[in-house]
Amino acid sequence: MNFRVLRALLKKEYLQIFRDKVMLRQMLMMPFIQLLLLSSAATFEVKTARMYLVDNDHSETSRGLVEHLRASGRFVVVGASPSMEPANDALLSRDAGMILGIPHDFERDIVRTKSAKVQLIYNAEDGALAGVTNSYAQQIISAYARDLGASLRPMVAESPSIDIRTRGWYNQALDYKDYMIPGILVQLLTIIGTLLTAMNIVREKELGTLDQLNVTPIPRSAFISAKLIPLWTIALVELAIGLTVARFVFDVPMRGSLLLVFFAASLYLVVALAIGLWISTAVDTQQQAMFSSFFLIMIYLLMSGLFTPVRSMPTWAQWIAEVNPVKHIIVIMRAVLLKGAGIADIARPLTILAVSGAIVLSLAVRQYAKTSR
Amino acid sequence: MSDPAVVVRNISKKFETTVALDDISFDVSHGEIFGLVGPDGAGKTTLFRILTTLVLPDSGTATVLGLDVVKDLWAIRSRVGYMPGKFSLYGDLTVAENLSFFASVFRTTVKEGYNLIAPIYRQIEPFAERRADQLSGGMKQKLALSCALVHRPDILFLDEPTTGVDAVSRREFWDQLHTLRETGLTIVVSTPYMDEALRCDRVALIQGSRLLEIDPPEDIGRNYPLPLIAVTSSDRYQLLLALRESPHAHSVYPFGAELHFTDDRAGADPASVAAELEAWMKSHGFTDAAAHPIAAGIEDSFIDRMSTPARRAS
């Protein structure tokens, strides 16, 4: 490779990138805005569930249960009535998200048989929301049952039989942010790597400058390197910005080596950039490049385990996820940042990334050589 | 230097179902300005793209500076200068940045190529720090030419270089091409304009993907096959319509302030044809009409060829 030619090409690329102030601003703002929005707005956490109360017991114990739910801060009582009719109406009109039904013999059953029934009805239009609300309610109710067991012990022989204690490792507070932010940073790398690369090369096709470049002795290797290196560096700078924001604004733990994070990201970017290069060989306009990139990125992200766990996908989808580079870099990011994993712990996904990088890049370069003279 | 600078032999090229070039052959000598003249869509750009190694021909061979356009593409690329029809420099880079970029990718410097480009580049040098997309059409063209020349190529390919450029700049541009030719540079240039064809050393008429004729521009009208009469009248449009219906009309079209009338009797004496035509016009109410025989120019020749390609081909 001729380094003088490569240097001239790189200089030109950086000049163009730094001259496009609009793009530059957007690239700098992107990590902030994405992290802010996706990590705090796009959360499964349920702040307050609106609860409609149908208490037919009116006992000390039933009032205690309601009080426990309210005291958790996660439930507010938006209405109460002795019959189910108005409760159902409230659920239908979405005035309430759930109904808590307490039967007539609640307290008596607890005292006599140490077990009683309560009814929980959810509006499950949004399944995830209902599920999360249910798990909060279950936790609080069983905690209350434990308390009752303790306080009732002098009177009854047995304490409640089942005692489940949950403890989330590596993310003890089950903080949604800690889990999402590494993934969002990966999304950022993917957009810059794939979308910007494809657009950047296709723009030269559209403007006709690619023809002008092709009637020069620029070797293909120099041209491709000069296209990929600048976006590779920019993506890594973005990652640095994103990690800084994650650490100091969102207090995301960084238990592992940051050097390892950047090393893995560099490998992953080779794949992302090569895919962008590949797209650029298949399309003629920036519009097509944008559409193809978005299409691919969407599939990649949906099948990556960023939003939904890979383990809950059907088997065929799990196989796709296995060859999805986004899945592996997300695994690595979460493992290194949240668990403090070392290079040995992530050797497998790291190897997969390195191998796919080599394969995709060489295929993309071959495709580029085929479509241009 | 005895071999021609460009040798094209039986080149054909199809794009899906469209025939872009059909069995084209010609030579370009060293140090000449060779014009490819033809309407839009005639195949000129495809021919340029084949000669500059961007596109492969379907059949036929071509050499540039003795190098094969298919096999020796890298050798060709470092020795030709190419200016595509569309402005293809970086609009977001300045004039100076564009020039030094193109010098660098040819492994040279602006300084080394300065002598050659100086007559052209000096005119845009005051705007060296201006972004290329903020230049006027004429200045863009000068910059593009400078960039195509900065590595001192042995041959220059200019695809419709003056499209979108004002008349004064066009004339200046052609003066510059003649200055460049003095340095021994071979120039292949395409144009849809007949006045520019006149400034070439030789011209190839190309139409409908076929080459019609190659001659020095002043000779192109010489083989005009029919008597050609120039006609003037105050009522040009009505006369045009009337003449098209006249007994021996082969073709009638406006030409500047006149009409050019081609009689369909090959070999007839032009003077008597003109007299006969004038009488016909007067008898049809065009009292101020006048007719006189003229020699065909390149434009007449071209219009004739375009309207009757079948007759030429046979």
Side-chain angles (χ1 to χ4, degrees), chain B residues 270-310:
Chain B
S272 53
V273 169
E276 188 190 313
L277 188 65
E278 196 168 305
W280 185 88
M281 290 188 293
K282 292 213 152 91
S283 72
H284 281 77
F286 298 95
T287 47
D288 64 343
H292 61 94
I294 50 162
I298 186 168
E299 195 160 348
D300 298 303
S301 213
F302 197 77
I303 291 171
D304 175 53
R305 306 265 165 134
M306 279 177 52
S307 52
T308 53

Side-chain angles (χ1 to χ4, degrees), chain A residues 49-69:
Chain A
R50 291 192 304 266
M51 180 171 74
Y52 199 96
L53 184 61
V54 182
D55 184 358
N56 286 319
D57 195 41
H58 296 290
S59 63
E60 192 78 27
T61 317
S62 74
R63 274 194 294 275
L65 176 62
V66 174
E67 212 38 61
H68 263 73
L69 286 166

Side-chain angles (χ1 to χ4, degrees), chain A residues 96-123:
Chain A
M98 63 174 284
I99 301 170
L100 172 64
I102 302 174
H104 180 61
D105 298 328
F106 180 68
E107 188 177 61
R108 198 192 65 193
D109 285 353
I110 285 198
V111 174
R112 286 192 184 162
T113 69
K114 295 156 300 277
S115 98
K117 286 181 179 139
V118 292
Q119 188 180 32
L120 291 167
I121 301 170
Y122 298 94
N123 172 8

Side-chain angles (χ1 to χ4, degrees), chain B residues 194 205 207 212-213 220-228 249-253 255 260-264 296-313:
Chain B
M194 298 300 151
L205 293 186
Q207 203 239 321
L212 303 178
E213 180 180 353
I220 284 213
R222 194 165 289 169
N223 301 323
Y224 200 76
L226 298 168
L228 181 67
H250 172 69
S251 66
V252 189
Y253 48 89
F255 195 97
H260 279 188
F261 176 91
T262 305
D263 197 275
D264 63 3
I298 186 168
E299 195 160 348
D300 298 303
S301 213
F302 197 77
I303 291 171
D304 175 53
R305 306 265 165 134
M306 279 177 52
S307 52
T308 53
R311 181 160 57 87
R312 282 298 111 188

Side-chain angles (χ1 to χ4, degrees), chain B residues 65-96:
Chain B
L65 306 167
L67 301 160
D68 187 275
V69 293
V70 178
K71 291 199 286 280
D72 307 321
L73 72 161
W74 292 105
I76 291 180
R77 285 174 181 184
S78 51
R79 290 180 60 192
V80 305
Y82 174 46
M83 205 175 134
K86 209 174 114 194
F87 179 71
S88 301
L89 301 179
Y90 294 99
D92 47 359
L93 298 187
T94 65
V95 168

